[in-house]
Amino acid sequence: MPITIVRDDITRMDVDAVVNAANTTLLGGGGVDGAIHRAAGPMLLKECMTLGGCKMGQAKATKGYDMPCKYIIHTVGPVWNGGGFGEEQLLSSCYKNSLELAEQLGCKSVAFPLISAGAYGYPIADAADVALRSINEYLCGSDMRVTLVVFGLRTQLMDEAEIEEIRRYISESTAPPTGGLRRRRILPSAQPEPQPTEQAQDGKSFSQAVIKRMTELEIADSELCRRANISGSLFAKIREGGGYQLKKSEALGIAAALSDDTDSLAELLSLAGYSFSSSERADLIVKYLFDKHRTDIADIERTLFSLDAGLLGEA
Ligand code: AR6
């Protein structure tokens, strides 16, 4: 844990391993594959020539050469054929096998592109959904940090119509309740980090409530970390119950992981010293999703990213 999503060029990522969306020959190509070969230099192709190709859904590693990473993990995603040909399972295997290989190589940080979402035609929103769910599932019990790298300013991880619907919801929820002119309030996308109330500073009541809910719901530590997108080391501090002041995004991730409605979420969040606010974008988006019973962390993160509203947990 945890998963982060960024907009960047994967060849610039300072991580232990970068994953390449390759083809079965492993001999280079266009898209991210071409960019990685250009950035790593000609020695990469030389090593790739010794690997004997790679099957769809599998992964093989090489050194990183001129790239900042130690390793490049080459995986081959499925070509999109309409969804009825095992594409989802194959795509999920790409993430699982790449992470397994990264772990065997002792990597602590891994960056992925959106495998299959370019030349191989997998619809981007679905590819992102499979990516985040597969990574999140794999990371249950592991403390590797994984970054999903989205390329290009216009690449969206959700359908435009849904993004528009949520934007409307935010705008309506934050409009002043006047009977006359309803002016739209323009929200800045980067808001100042909310500060907790003073009485919550020792963290004891939040910690106790978290442990109590985990016991009631029979949730293990690793499962909470997965659901809240936090690391085992952060959870250990929370369990100790003092000294560490959680950021709102961390407290919100944990509260969301242990709640199935926004009332109980708000109650738990208040014990960490934060309010569930109707004027903050991230809170409103979580409320929008919870009201639709969409409480899965991968879904929440993808939606927050798409609306430029930060991420939950330690992302
Ligand atoms: N950094 C991060 N992501 C990138 C970059 C970059 N520098 N460049 C492109 N992407 P694709 P595929 C994104 O086509 O669909 C190759 O020819 C891109 O926007 O690279 O798995 C191989 O040799 C898209 O979201 O990979 C194969 O033949 C994502 O990376 C075939 O393409 C994947 O797009 C593989 O197709």
Side-chain angles (χ1 to χ4, degrees):
M1 281 288 153
I3 311 176
T4 312
I5 314 172
V6 298
R7 242 177 237 290
D8 212 328
D9 175 342
I10 205 166
T11 61
R12 296 164 2 124
M13 300 297 294
D14 188 10
V15 287
D16 294 336
V18 158
V19 177
N20 180 20
N23 57 57
T24 51
T25 70
L26 294 189
L27 299 180
V32 71
D33 196 5
I36 286 175
H37 274 268
R38 279 192 299 278
M43 292 302 288
L44 174 60
L45 181 59
K46 265 199 158 169
E47 187 177 352
C48 282
M49 287 165 88
T50 67
L51 296 178
C54 180
K55 288 198 181 119
M56 210 179 265
Q58 302 291 308
K60 290 192 178 176
T62 62
K63 289 187 217 129
Y65 298 99
D66 294 344
M67 296 242 298
C69 56
K70 278 192 220 118
Y71 301 103
I72 299 167
I73 294 177
H74 307 262
T75 188
V76 184
V79 177
W80 178 256
N81 263 313
F85 295 86
E87 291 97 325
E88 184 176 335
Q89 208 203 337
L90 278 165
L91 185 57
S92 187
S93 312
C94 289
Y95 287 96
K96 181 174 165 284
N97 289 325
S98 300
L99 286 167
E100 228 162 55
L101 187 50
E103 202 149 41
Q104 282 161 17
L105 293 166
C107 298
K108 300 271 179 259
S109 53
V110 183
F112 280 96
L114 279 167
I115 300 161
S116 286
Y120 282 180
Y122 211 109
I124 296 180
D126 297 331
D129 185 52
V130 174
L132 289 167
R133 281 179 205 280
S134 310
I135 297 167
N136 183 245
E137 204 170 293
Y138 184 87
L139 289 183
C140 185
S142 157
D143 255 355
M144 263 196 296
R145 296 186 82 86
V146 176
T147 308
L148 187 65
V149 182
V150 178
F151 192 59
L153 288 175
R154 271 182 282 168
T155 306
Q156 285 293 10
L157 304 189
M158 285 172 72
D159 294 334
E160 221 17 90
E162 195 176 7
I163 293 177
E164 229 359 89
E165 186 184 320
I166 302 174
R167 280 207 188 106
R168 245 193 331 271
Y169 171 82
I170 293 172
S171 165
E172 278 159 15
S173 308
T174 52
T178 52
L181 279 176
R182 279 169 70 91
R183 274 201 305 140
R184 285 192 170 194
R185 194 151 94 208
I186 297 162
L187 286 171
S189 55
Q191 297 184 23
E193 173 68 28
Q195 296 303 313
T197 56
E198 257 173 47
Q199 67 266 30
Q201 300 277 335
D202 71 0
K204 281 216 175 72
S205 50
F206 179 70
S207 163
Q208 282 161 359
V210 166
I211 307 296
K212 184 163 171 271
R213 277 208 198 167
M214 284 173 68
T215 312
E216 283 163 7
L217 297 169
E218 297 181 3
I219 291 179
D221 296 8
S222 57
E223 174 63 6
L224 178 79
C225 291
R226 183 192 73 75
R227 290 192 194 186
N229 199 23
I230 62 166
S231 63
S233 48
L234 175 62
F235 181 71
K237 290 182 199 160
I238 295 164
R239 201 182 249 296
E240 275 168 26
Y244 181 75
Q245 180 53 62
L246 287 172
K247 292 189 193 125
K248 180 166 179 188
S249 54
E250 295 165 346
L252 187 54
I254 295 163
L258 293 170
S259 312
D260 44 26
D261 61 64
T262 45
D263 288 342
S264 56
L265 185 156
E267 191 191 324
L268 194 48
L269 190 63
S270 71
L271 295 175
Y274 295 105
S275 59
F276 193 55
S277 160
S278 57
S279 64
E280 276 175 45
R281 272 169 93 75
D283 297 19
L284 281 168
I285 292 167
V286 170
K287 179 162 169 34
Y288 172 91
L289 294 173
F290 265 60
D291 287 351
K292 293 184 177 317
H293 308 289
R294 288 167 58 181
T295 58
D296 182 82
I297 186 71
D299 191 14
I300 296 174
E301 300 290 39
R302 186 164 66 100
T303 310
L304 289 170
F305 179 82
S306 302
L307 283 129
D308 202 13
L311 293 170
L312 292 197
E314 270 182 283

